[in-house]
Amino acid sequence: MNHLHSDQYAVFLWFLSNTVWKETQNDIVANKLFYLNKALHGISAMYNTALPDIFLLLHTVGTVLGRATYGDFFVASQGCTVGAQNDCYPLIGKGVGLLPYSSVIGDCKVGSRSVLGINATVYQADIEQDHVIFVDSDGKIQKKLKNGVTWTQRFYNVTLKDVN
């Protein structure tokens, strides 16, 4: 970990705020750490959001990670949103990647090893595992079955095809 690498520092501040909240229930300190992270890195991930044990944040500016259920090997890049609709949050499988400005909103499931492409939005819909969701040249959302190495797998030293 390099404290001068802002993505790693954003992850460190989230872990610190989450640990303070879990260990002490001190909302005041946890909130201060949350706001510091938001001010420094432009990320909104509350200290009580249960991020997975294994995750990666890339270029955190504009990213909002709500209280969804996240699987390990999760990757989120800039401008992503994971949020609720009518108090229902998404269920995100293992090895899921969110490319810039993609969103997952509401009561939906994103299957393991799936990727949401740039500007793609999943709203109140389920995505099967091993799929890519993307916006085509006409601005319409498309879905296709992936084959081969996933975008997310590039960041981890594991074979995500074995991840369920």
Side-chain angles (χ1 to χ4, degrees):
M1 177 142 186
N2 179 344
H3 70 284
L4 297 176
H5 191 286
S6 65
D7 294 346
Q8 292 176 2
Y9 194 46
V11 170
F12 168 75
L13 284 174
W14 177 83
F15 271 117
L16 183 59
S17 67
N18 179 261
T19 301
V20 165
W21 179 72
K22 282 182 181 176
E23 299 293 323
T24 69
Q25 298 298 304
N26 188 331
D27 289 333
I28 294 169
V29 172
N31 267 314
K32 287 180 180 182
L33 291 166
F34 162 76
Y35 287 124
L36 176 63
N37 208 8
K38 190 172 182 179
L40 290 174
H41 305 109
I43 185 169
S44 181
M46 288 295 291
Y47 52 85
N48 59 356
T49 298
L51 292 175
D53 291 334
I54 304 166
F55 69 96
L56 178 63
L57 303 177
L58 302 170
H59 313 298
T60 59
V61 174
T63 297
V64 177
L65 299 178
R67 286 179 268 179
T69 301
Y70 298 89
D72 281 335
F73 307 105
F74 174 71
V75 177
S77 52
Q78 71 267 19
C80 293
T81 300
V82 177
Q85 177 67 38
N86 298 323
D87 247 359
C88 292
Y89 284 90
L91 173 62
I92 298 174
K94 291 183 179 179
V96 170
L98 303 181
L99 274 74
Y101 306 104
S102 60
S103 299
V104 182
I105 309 292
D107 186 15
C108 53
K109 294 180 180 108
V110 179
S112 293
R113 300 173 306 276
S114 291
V115 175
L116 273 71
I118 297 168
N119 290 320
T121 297
V122 173
Y123 176 74
Q124 304 275 89
D126 292 342
I127 303 302
E128 299 169 47
Q129 68 183 23
D130 298 310
H131 277 77
V132 176
I133 307 303
F134 64 98
V135 179
D136 68 16
S137 59
D138 294 328
K140 296 179 182 165
I141 298 288
Q142 302 293 328
K143 176 172 75 167
K144 72 175 185 177
L145 185 62
K146 287 189 318 192
N147 52 21
V149 175
T150 69
W151 178 78
T152 307
Q153 186 175 333
R154 297 180 204 185
F155 302 105
Y156 300 104
N157 191 21
V158 296
T159 303
L160 291 180
K161 69 179 182 138
D162 298 327
V163 173
N164 290 318

